[in-house]
Amino acid sequence: MARFRAPHIRGTVLCLAAGMAFSVSPVLVQIAYAHGAAVSGVLAWRYLVAALLLAGIAGRRLLEIRPKAAIAAFALGALVYALDSALFFASLERTSAPLASLLHYAHLALVVGVAAVVGRERLTRRRLFALTGIFAGVALVGGAAVNPDGLGILMALGSATAYAVYILLSDRLLRDADPMALTALLTAGASTSFLVAGAVFGTLGAVGGPAGLACLAGAALVGSVFAVSSFLKGVRLVGPSTASLLVTVEVPVTIALAAFVLKQHLAPAQLGGAALVVGAILAMQLKWRPRLPAARPASS
């Protein structure tokens, strides 16, 4: 029968929930764009609100982080996480959301490969099959994109590289720091970068009016506070490559939300791709063990 270890299933649920929460942000940001928002303006205030909320949740745990780890976390957010966000959300202005998401998930190959090379996780046959299935499903989901923009493609690929670096480095930081406090510092770093960029380019006020502000609040609460903290906790429990595989559920959920909120209809191939992604994730997570005779119960 299939069995799960308790920490493993908690990590799986956290990463899947994070992926679903991450899917909210592209939809909300596209609504803000439609109302005249700019990339730096949207992301500056989104991450500022999220950083303040996360800092309030973390409380005294922020003071328990060693200064070296705190500086590293802030720098990771200001440089790597901010770069990933800037490139990805800028690519959404030039190419379709499914194609941008597909290209962004090229980070899986980098994360799984590096984790295997350094001995962090084993590159098993099942993991390879799951990775292949997820890539195939994501490709089907993104296959409906038309007239892709070259610069948009490069931006999305750049965001994939930055995100892979972010995952691997955050896993190292998690060994010595509280996840919630670490997330607050990461988000504060990203907010600082976008506030500076917005001030330089004069786009801090370009948030899309009342509708854009509502989208910013939703993106901060769901797409940042809940999603990032859940993902970082999940990384600690299941490891970076498994966590990065699990959050690919973001792609089919994003397509479904776009269809419901933005009236973008799903093609049959996209539905098939979503099913393939979910099926590959479930197959990867099942821990199959042979049934033991009744006279010899399994040890705890």
Side-chain angles (χ1 to χ4, degrees):
M1 61 183 293
R3 296 182 181 179
F4 289 96
R5 293 170 294 161
H8 189 85
I9 195 170
R10 287 200 302 271
T12 298
V13 171
L14 284 168
C15 291
L16 288 174
M20 295 179 187
F22 280 129
S23 70
V24 172
S25 293
V27 175
L28 293 177
V29 170
Q30 285 182 343
I31 294 174
Y33 285 166
H35 288 80
V39 175
S40 56
V42 168
L43 297 182
W45 299 116
R46 167 193 172 179
Y47 288 132
L48 177 60
V49 171
L52 292 174
L53 291 174
L54 289 167
I57 295 172
R60 293 184 177 180
R61 286 175 288 179
L62 282 169
L63 302 177
E64 298 173 358
I65 299 180
R66 292 182 294 107
K68 183 178 179 180
I71 293 172
F74 186 89
L76 182 63
L79 299 175
V80 184
Y81 189 67
L83 179 61
D84 164 49
S85 297
L87 290 172
F88 178 74
F89 286 102
S91 73
L92 290 177
E93 292 186 313
R94 307 184 67 91
T95 189
S96 67
L99 180 58
S101 296
L102 168 64
L103 295 173
H104 186 262
Y105 275 96
H107 76 269
L108 287 171
L110 295 173
V111 172
V112 173
V114 172
V117 168
V118 302
R120 174 64 174 81
E121 296 184 8
R122 293 177 58 242
L123 191 60
T124 63
R125 180 180 301 178
R126 184 179 60 183
R127 190 177 296 280
L128 284 172
F129 283 147
L131 184 61
T132 301
I134 290 172
F135 267 131
V138 171
L140 285 173
V141 171
V146 295
N147 299 323
D149 180 271
L151 182 56
I153 289 176
L154 290 176
M155 287 179 173
L157 288 173
S159 74
T161 302
Y163 195 59
V165 174
Y166 160 71
I167 290 173
L168 293 166
L169 291 181
S170 65
D171 177 57
R172 296 291 297 271
L173 288 172
L174 278 174
R175 298 176 185 178
D176 301 314
D178 177 81
M180 189 63 68
L182 178 66
T183 305
L185 291 168
L186 285 164
T187 310
S191 173
T192 300
S193 292
F194 288 115
L195 285 170
V196 171
V200 170
F201 294 106
T203 57
L204 288 178
V207 296
L213 288 174
C215 291
L216 290 179
L221 291 171
V222 180
S224 290
V225 175
F226 177 77
V228 177
S229 60
S230 296
F231 176 71
L232 291 176
K233 291 177 182 177
V235 168
R236 169 177 282 178
L237 294 171
V238 300
S241 61
T242 297
S244 63
L245 289 171
L246 288 169
V247 295
T248 56
V249 72
E250 173 189 358
V251 175
V253 174
T254 299
I255 299 298
L257 284 176
F260 180 75
V261 177
L262 304 176
K263 307 305 179 184
Q264 299 174 354
H265 299 290
L266 293 172
Q270 291 176 310
L271 290 173
L276 186 56
V277 169
V278 174
I281 289 173
L282 292 176
M284 179 186 65
Q285 294 305 308
L286 288 175
K287 303 291 184 183
W288 294 98
R289 297 177 182 175
R291 183 186 297 274
L292 299 177
R296 298 176 59 192
S299 60
S300 58

